[in-house]
Amino acid sequence: MAVTANTIHVLNILCCYDELKIRLEKYDQHYIVENNKLDLLKNDKNELNNFDIVLSSYESLRLNHKETGKIKWKVIVCDEAQKMKNPKTLLTTAIKTQNVQFKIACSATPIENTLIDLWCLADFVKPGLLKSQKQFEKEFMNQLKVKDIDDDKRNDLNNRLRDTINDFYIRRTKDEKMPPDFPKKIVVYERINPSKIQKEKMNELYDLRSMGGTALAIIQGLIMVCSHPLLIDKSEKLETDNNILIESAYKLERIYHILSDIKEKNEKVIIFTKFRKMQEILKNVIIHWYGIRTSIINGEIDTHSRRRLLDEYRKKQGFNVIILSPEAAGVGLNIVEANHVIHYTRHWNPAKEEQATDRAYRIGQKNTVNITYLVYENSVDEYILNININKEEIIEEALK
């Protein structure tokens, strides 16, 4: 079939946020891109009907859901649909109140914390499929939480859940879709003893529990100490003596040996930690060790700077390190130039860590990807590791 310019339908696309507009401009021979952000929505709501496709961030939709809800949409496609996992948020309400004929929810992590995440997605796509939230909790979640539940009962509940959603659910795993020659992923859990000062800080936090301290605050403090004891110091000033920084947290000592091995191979590495002070500590010790300036990408970085830093990292030949926040950079980035990933700070959500890893382990990767998790023995690190293993088992049993 021969296609001429006259037979191509040019799509009118309203793009409601800048970053996606920049990606679409590469295809301007096919698309007319209007970057009106929120102005069009505020000034003339009826103009929305002049567009074939409206591309919106979740935040834009949340802010303008009353106006967009007045339009009869043919299709709504939610990428990274796990953002509506909480039934009580304004965002979830905004999405579910849209007037739409056909709905698609796409997510690599349909269950991030509990089965309620899955219920919320199903309630968006097919309201009533898994009944009400209260009924779902009674029929599935509460029974699966029973400590002495036997394997037959658990399997029966999971089979019932899968059978219920089966006609509305398609699952694709990397193992199924990756080409046979796709590079391997090697996962290593490095167990380390905490330093003396870390043990002291941990014991101080444990003592707070007996003094009436809240469990959540204590656990958060323990996670911070497992990154570096300086993180619970309220001072904004960083210790300037790198030797003291390294001696205070044995993860830094271990990371030096890992990075040195990577440097010998002339390869690139991504380090993930959510704490901004820890990101700065890592940046300082890496300059101290190797004399290279390491970029940090977190929520403070604007879109333009983020793109520039990533391009610089990708283009630089040989050994290089980039430090990322899993929240700010865990979704949407392609950094296949790196084939080493280090999870310095553990995350409660195994799906978040998996998404972070996938910045490097994705189509386009040409080398074996080495994933390292740094875990202090007999600490909250190990506790999180065990919880995450349990979560992964629940996810796999529910969706396999």
Side-chain angles (χ1 to χ4, degrees):
M1 175 181 175
V3 179
T4 68
N6 292 330
T7 64
I8 296 176
H9 172 64
V10 179
L11 297 175
N12 281 305
I13 299 179
L14 169 64
C15 187
C16 296
Y17 58 115
D18 287 331
E19 188 171 2
L20 189 54
K21 174 183 178 288
I22 292 167
R23 293 183 205 168
L24 286 172
E25 281 177 338
K26 291 191 260 183
Y27 308 101
D28 59 2
Q29 68 271 30
H30 296 299
Y31 301 122
I32 298 174
V33 179
E34 294 270 352
N35 182 36
N36 295 308
K37 298 183 79 172
L38 299 181
D39 294 339
L40 180 62
L41 300 183
K42 290 177 180 176
N43 296 334
D44 192 350
K45 315 304 187 298
N46 294 327
E47 285 294 324
L48 280 172
N49 288 307
N50 295 331
F51 293 89
D52 298 295
I53 300 172
V54 174
L55 299 171
S56 172
S57 66
Y58 283 103
E59 181 63 12
S60 295
L61 180 62
R62 184 185 68 79
L63 292 171
N64 299 277
H65 71 279
K66 290 182 180 179
E67 288 73 30
T68 56
K70 296 173 184 176
I71 296 172
K72 293 181 179 179
W73 303 99
K74 294 289 186 183
V75 180
I76 184 169
V77 180
C78 293
D79 193 21
E80 305 296 349
Q82 70 275 4
K83 289 184 179 292
M84 65 170 116
K85 65 187 176 186
N86 187 338
K88 298 179 181 179
T89 63
L90 291 174
L91 172 61
T92 301
T93 301
I95 297 170
K96 289 185 176 181
T97 53
Q98 297 306 298
N99 184 3
V100 59
Q101 292 182 14
F102 188 74
K103 307 169 189 173
I104 301 173
C106 305
S107 175
T109 55
I111 303 174
E112 290 194 341
N113 291 306
T114 71
L115 286 176
I116 283 297
D117 302 351
L118 180 64
W119 175 86
C120 202
L121 293 183
D123 189 60
F124 161 69
V125 174
K126 186 72 174 175
L129 177 66
L130 294 177
K131 301 182 180 179
S132 70
Q133 181 181 344
K134 188 175 181 180
Q135 288 174 300
F136 179 74
E137 289 175 353
K138 180 180 178 181
E139 292 185 23
F140 292 99
M141 292 187 65
N142 293 345
Q143 294 190 55
L144 287 168
K145 285 179 183 176
V146 175
K147 289 184 179 180
D148 57 352
I149 184 173
D150 60 61
D151 290 341
D152 289 341
K153 178 67 173 176
R154 179 184 289 105
N155 289 335
D156 178 60
L157 286 167
N158 285 320
N159 288 336
R160 279 176 51 204
L161 178 56
R162 284 194 298 273
D163 289 345
T164 304
I165 66 173
N166 191 53
D167 289 340
F168 304 92
Y169 170 76
I170 300 173
R171 188 186 188 199
R172 181 187 72 172
T173 66
K174 276 191 173 179
D175 291 340
E176 294 170 343
K177 298 298 179 181
M178 289 299 188
D181 58 346
F182 192 73
K184 294 180 180 178
K185 178 172 68 173
I186 299 172
V187 180
V188 175
Y189 294 91
E190 293 258 5
R191 285 179 162 78
I192 309 162
N193 287 314
S195 68
K196 181 181 177 182
I197 187 172
Q198 284 177 306
K199 290 178 182 177
E200 291 173 353
K201 295 293 184 183
M202 288 176 193
N203 288 331
E204 289 174 10
L205 287 165
Y206 292 139
D207 291 341
L208 287 177
R209 187 69 178 126
S210 61
M211 297 166 62
T214 61
L216 189 60
I218 291 170
I219 291 171
Q220 179 69 357
L222 290 169
I223 295 172
M224 294 169 79
V225 170
C226 281
S227 288
H228 201 286
L230 280 182
L231 268 60
I232 60 172
D233 183 355
K234 293 182 180 180
S235 171
E236 292 297 320
K237 284 189 175 182
L238 277 179
E239 170 63 56
T240 56
D241 189 324
N242 287 303
N243 290 322
I244 293 176
L245 286 173
I246 296 162
E247 290 168 4
S248 300
Y250 287 169
K251 277 187 183 180
L252 288 178
E253 185 178 293
R254 182 64 198 130
I255 213 170
Y256 168 70
H257 294 288
I258 296 171
L259 292 179
S260 295
D261 288 343
I262 295 170
K263 186 174 185 295
E264 285 290 316
K265 298 172 185 175
N266 217 25
E267 295 175 338
K268 294 182 179 179
V269 57
I270 305 169
I271 303 176
F272 283 100
T273 178
K274 64 181 179 179
F275 297 120
R276 293 182 184 181
K277 188 182 282 190
M278 191 66 237
Q279 293 164 3
E280 292 295 334
I281 290 173
L282 284 164
K283 181 177 181 178
N284 288 349
V285 297
I286 289 169
I287 293 172
H288 171 67
W289 288 330
Y290 307 109
I292 62 172
R293 291 208 159 268
T294 302
S295 296
I296 296 173
I297 294 180
N298 54 36
E300 294 179 348
I301 302 295
D302 62 63
T303 300
H304 176 76
S305 298
R306 175 166 123 160
R307 191 179 306 109
R308 176 179 56 79
L309 293 173
L310 285 169
D311 286 344
E312 289 174 358
Y313 176 79
R314 293 182 182 114
K315 291 173 183 177
K316 184 178 177 181
Q317 298 298 309
F319 173 66
N320 204 355
V321 184
I322 193 166
I323 301 166
L324 305 181
S325 159
E327 282 79 9
V331 175
L333 294 184
N334 186 332
I335 318 178
V336 294
E337 292 78 9
N339 66 309
H340 298 269
V341 175
I342 299 172
H343 292 278
Y344 186 92
T345 301
R346 295 311 310 273
H347 202 290
W348 283 109
N349 188 343
K352 290 281 187 185
E353 290 183 328
E354 194 66 23
Q355 284 180 332
T357 293
D358 286 347
R359 300 314 99 215
Y361 189 65
R362 60 196 298 119
I363 295 294
Q365 180 58 256
K366 296 180 174 58
N367 302 305
T368 297
V369 177
N370 298 279
I371 317 299
T372 303
Y373 293 88
L374 298 176
V375 180
Y376 280 126
E377 293 186 334
N378 302 314
S379 74
V380 71
D381 273 355
E382 261 191 346
Y383 178 66
I384 292 173
L385 173 60
N386 293 331
I387 285 179
N388 284 353
I389 289 172
N390 184 53
K391 283 183 180 179
E392 288 171 342
E393 288 174 353
I394 291 172
I395 293 168
E396 186 58 32
E397 286 177 358
L399 299 179
K400 67 183 177 181

